[in-house]
Amino acid sequence: MDALLASYFAQRGGYDFRSLLYDAQMKRLLLLLFLFLLAACSDPPVLDIKIVVPPGDDPLKGVDVVRLHVTDPAVDKNFQVTDPDQINIEVEVAVESAAGVITLEGAAAGKIQARGETPPVLLVPEAGSLSLLVARAGVTSKLGPELKLASLDMASLLLPSLGVFFASGKQASIYDFFTHEVKALPAPPESRIGAVAAPCGNRCITLALGKAGTTLAKTLISYDGAAWTAFSDGLDDLSRRAGAATAPLGDGTYVVAGGVDAKGAALDTLLHLDPGSTSSVPGMRKLSSRSAAARAAPVAAGSGGHALIAGAGKAEVFSLTSLASQAVTLPGVAPHTGAAICALSDGAFLLVGGADAGGKTLRDVWRVDPKTLKVTHYKDALASGRQGHAALQVAGRLVVLGGKGDGAMAAKMELLDATTLKAVTNADQAVQRAGVRANRLGPGSVLISGGVDSAGAAVTSLEVYQRDTPL
């Protein structure tokens, strides 16, 4: 596929979402005609949406139905494809400065074959452009841009107004989800390895802890979309660490657990991080409560004022209300390292896989209710054990991707029902990697980055996963 264009133009005090053109062989002719027709409408402001596709086969090739969906204003229309070389869609919708997600689905014989979605974009009567990434649905697709700074110790985080932020050492980059390019950012004021990251606004990020060269960092550094600023971390030397895990608490602050001190010893102390905002400076403090275990490489996730922290054979639920943890019992063999945690839409957590104390990978999943502390054990829920993977809920499914098994990299991603934990299917992964990062780009799309290959080399390629179930 070569191009997809969408235009919004002012009419009767609003916008019209007028047309999308897909052109495989006659791009120039259709593009000129399209612009000429718009020019006849008193030169209205135009938002061009260009389709970006991964290298390789066209994901829209062979589709017989294209679905266009916009969340706000509500648009949901299907269009039959009669010409395999071009798709011409016309839709008229009044728009009044609302933030909406634009989704395109291409289906063949009733099955979704291609899919793409934007992040929430503000539809206002101004000319502009953005790109919509469309990829094959149900699998991961390798993207064209590469992340040169990729490492096992890099920090990554979604910034809603910019894209996915990455930092490692003296480098920082962003995957811009409006252009689908990797763009270098100004270098941080000091090197950071093994830091934690938290947003301080839609265009702002704060890095905390980690190593600054050969010593542990003593400052918080914030990037505001234009420049970096350093602040004192407010901690004593015994509280500083690298390789910690962090989880949001729902009020804009974060709990920080585990990691190693300057001598490499695992820590059981907990920290409370306020990443700041455009009008306040970031800060961090040591909490009086401690973790259930000292963990060198913990995992954590947060939702609704609670966080699940796991590793070293134990798990605990941290509460925003008490700023303390309560241990939970994990039936079976509990993971010591390499597990993943998924925060579910109903407020519960899933602890997925990992490796036991001897390094053997696990196939088990544990569901933890943070309010009742009830733990439900799903023995051998995964088709194969893995560690160093990621787990996310996408459209009612638990998506488990990346990681390595006992002696081999995981070649397939697994999809399970997020409620019953029963297997749904597995799918190909374009790139095999362990220590993977997975950042949600939208309700049904995930950006996959980082990690190492079977030889231990950093993986610089990026992948995208698009759900294969309809909205």
Side-chain angles (χ1 to χ4, degrees):
M1 183 204 57
D2 292 313
L4 177 67
L5 299 176
S7 67
Y8 294 80
F9 62 89
Q11 184 177 21
R12 295 184 298 277
Y15 271 115
D16 280 355
F17 186 24
R18 185 69 176 180
S19 67
L20 297 100
L21 297 176
Y22 162 77
D23 171 24
Q25 298 177 347
M26 301 172 62
K27 174 183 175 183
R28 185 174 183 84
L29 175 59
L30 287 179
L31 180 56
L32 288 174
L33 176 59
F34 181 68
L35 294 178
F36 174 76
L37 292 175
L38 289 180
C41 298
S42 302
D43 296 324
V46 177
L47 172 63
D48 288 340
I49 302 180
K50 177 186 177 184
I51 283 293
V52 176
V53 298
D57 293 338
D58 177 3
L60 284 170
K61 183 178 180 180
V63 302
D64 50 40
V65 174
V66 170
R67 180 186 183 189
L68 176 67
H69 184 275
V70 183
T71 56
D72 193 359
V75 178
D76 192 1
K77 294 193 176 185
N78 291 329
F79 301 87
Q80 297 295 322
V81 177
T82 57
D83 187 336
D85 293 330
Q86 65 182 36
I87 301 171
N88 186 354
I89 299 172
E90 292 190 359
V91 182
E92 294 187 0
V93 179
V95 179
E96 296 182 357
S97 302
V101 175
I102 303 168
T103 303
L104 185 75
E105 296 175 346
K111 181 179 179 181
I112 295 179
Q113 173 179 300
R115 187 181 185 281
E117 65 186 3
T118 69
V121 292
L122 188 63
L123 306 180
V124 296
E126 297 176 0
S129 64
L130 59 85
S131 297
L132 175 62
L133 176 65
V134 174
R136 291 203 172 271
V139 298
T140 69
S141 299
K142 184 178 178 181
L143 303 181
E146 291 196 341
L147 186 65
K148 299 300 184 182
L149 60 74
S151 73
L152 270 177
D153 298 311
M154 74 177 183
S156 69
L157 186 73
L158 174 68
L159 290 178
S161 293
L162 294 177
V164 180
F165 170 92
F166 302 97
S168 181
K170 283 282 288 184
Q171 299 181 76
S173 296
I174 194 145
Y175 175 81
D176 186 325
F177 48 36
F178 295 106
T179 64
H180 296 285
E181 299 171 332
V182 174
K183 299 178 179 179
L185 297 177
E190 61 184 28
S191 176
R192 284 299 167 99
I193 297 293
V196 298
C200 44
N202 285 341
R203 302 175 61 87
C204 176
I205 189 168
T206 294
L207 292 179
L209 306 171
K211 286 187 175 180
T214 59
T215 62
L216 293 178
K218 298 183 179 181
T219 60
L220 304 170
I221 53 176
S222 294
Y223 177 72
D224 63 3
W228 291 89
T229 305
F231 306 89
S232 171
D233 65 8
L235 299 175
D236 58 58
D237 288 340
L238 296 179
S239 299
R240 298 188 176 107
R241 63 197 70 191
T246 185
L249 295 174
D251 66 341
T253 67
Y254 291 72
V255 61
V256 180
V260 296
D261 63 16
K263 296 181 179 180
L267 297 173
D268 66 353
T269 49
L270 295 169
L271 306 177
H272 189 221
L273 169 64
D274 180 351
S277 68
T278 55
S279 59
S280 64
V281 300
M284 194 160 42
R285 63 188 176 98
K286 178 182 174 182
L287 297 176
S288 58
S289 59
R290 291 179 177 268
S291 281
R295 302 179 176 96
V299 290
S303 176
H306 294 92
L308 179 65
I309 304 167
K314 296 182 179 181
E316 61 200 272
V317 173
F318 183 90
S319 169
L320 171 64
T321 303
S322 63
L323 291 181
S325 292
Q326 288 183 275
V328 295
T329 301
L330 300 176
V333 179
H336 278 248
T337 58
I341 300 178
C342 171
L344 297 175
S345 57
D346 64 1
F349 298 99
L350 293 178
L351 177 63
V352 182
D356 65 16
K360 180 178 175 58
T361 57
L362 304 173
R363 297 170 53 196
D364 297 6
V365 177
W366 295 263
R367 179 186 173 94
V368 180
D369 185 322
K371 296 180 180 179
T372 65
L373 303 185
K374 178 182 177 181
V375 178
T376 305
H377 181 209
Y378 299 86
K379 183 174 174 57
D380 295 335
L382 301 178
S384 59
R386 64 178 79 199
Q387 61 177 317
H389 52 286
L392 303 93
Q393 182 182 9
V394 180
R397 293 179 176 179
L398 174 67
V399 179
V400 183
L401 51 87
K404 62 180 180 179
D406 295 325
M409 304 293 283
K412 297 278 188 179
M413 58 189 299
E414 295 188 42
L415 287 83
L416 300 86
D417 185 289
T419 301
T420 66
L421 276 300
K422 293 187 178 298
V424 175
T425 187
N426 59 39
D428 292 332
Q429 296 179 161
V431 180
Q432 297 179 10
R433 61 178 96 205
V436 62
R437 305 292 195 274
N439 297 95
R440 194 183 302 275
L441 296 177
S445 55
V446 178
L447 183 71
I448 304 159
S449 63
V452 294
D453 61 19
S454 58
V459 178
T460 61
S461 60
L462 298 171
E463 299 169 84
V464 67
Y465 168 75
Q466 295 282 358
R467 60 187 269 187
D468 61 356
T469 53
L471 290 170

